[in-house]
Amino acid sequence: MITATSPTRHPIPLSSWQRDFAEAVTDPAELLALLGLGDEWLAPARAAAKVFPLRVPRSFVARMRHGDANDPLLRQVLPLAEELDEVTGFVTDPNRESGFRLAPGLLRKYSSRALLIATEACALHCRYCFRREFPYDEQQGETGRWKEAVAAIAADRSITELILSGGDPLSVSNARLRALSSDLENVTHLESLRLHTRNAVVLPSRIDQGFIEWLRALRWRVTIVLHVNHPNEIAADAIDALERLRGTGALLLNQSTLLRGVNDDAQTLSELSRRLHRHGVLPYYLHLLDRVRGSAHFEVTDSTGIALIQTMAQQLPGYLVPKLVREVAGAEAKTVIAAGLSSQIA
Ligand SMILES: *Cc1c(COP(=O)(O)O)cnc(C)c1O
Ligand code: SF4
């Protein structure tokens, strides 16, 4: 039950989110103590955190079950010994993104849309992140460098949608978002703006009044693609944030990653879809894991993924079944592996 845990509610004076962001748990010992877990997890957590640091906002910790090392939210953030295993096929840049750079921080993989890595920072570090060892420092989206990205978008009339991604674009202050969008206002061929964000749900205080006002003032169609993997993430404080976003009229979608031990069963995924729908969000993509080094223990096979989608299709209205997709290097779009029941026609 989401109401069984009682996450902290923030009365939201302006920029309180920045304090919440800064006060995230980063010490494995503190995380284990908060959850009443034993010391046997500590040494491996410290070792794996050296490669990719632990980071989890307190509001997200409050949604975890006390004393349960298998909690599906904890598994997404706790560094484990398995991350240090070398597994064939799991590499540091699985999507070979570095080949698609149009300008510093700007990726152009697919026609009509470009993706801006607005910042490298995230409120929460997902252990399976395909950018966990990405050389972000080379492409930090400092304001000065956005100018180059904006110029590249302005020079290419085929780009009609800009995706603000990261990291998480909501790690950036409202003032800097305003500066970016006012530069983009001059790009007349840009029709839509999209935000890919996990912060909106894992750090709900981020959806403050200034951010809502920024969204409302934008001249584009706005789509917000959230990143929620498990129904327990949609706690009371996250619901408040979703309702505030909904009030702006933005289209709200969700993408999840299919993760072993987190959401690899049909009941959990169906409950996630239903709970998202209850708060105005439709499922978009269910991603098969990108094979990034350190994430092999999260992998779910294609055939399991397909079976899960088929079970969901039997249980839910079609609009609550996400498309099971994978990122294929060189492909012109996400590759759809399953989207409902398979055809029986040979
Ligand atoms: C996933 C992705 C997109 C968006 O793809 P959609 O199918 O439109 O959601 C755009 N650019 C890059 C680099 C991506 O990885
Ligand atoms: S929110 Fe996205 S970019 Fe940030 S750590 Fe998680 S998966 Fe990676």
Side-chain angles (χ1 to χ4, degrees), residues 194-195 221-225 245 248-253 280-282:
R194 199 197 306 185
L195 301 171
R221 275 198 302 276
V222 177
T223 304
I224 300 176
V225 183
L245 289 175
T248 70
L251 176 65
L252 302 183
L253 302 173
V281 185
L282 288 180

Side-chain angles (χ1 to χ4, degrees), residues 219-249:
R219 72 164 173 84
W220 303 282
R221 275 198 302 276
V222 177
T223 304
I224 300 176
V225 183
L226 303 159
H227 174 177
V228 183
N229 294 317
H230 191 282
N232 291 1
E233 294 175 40
I234 308 172
D237 55 349
I239 291 170
D240 286 349
L242 294 180
E243 298 295 344
R244 288 197 291 276
L245 289 175
R246 182 141 77 135
T248 70

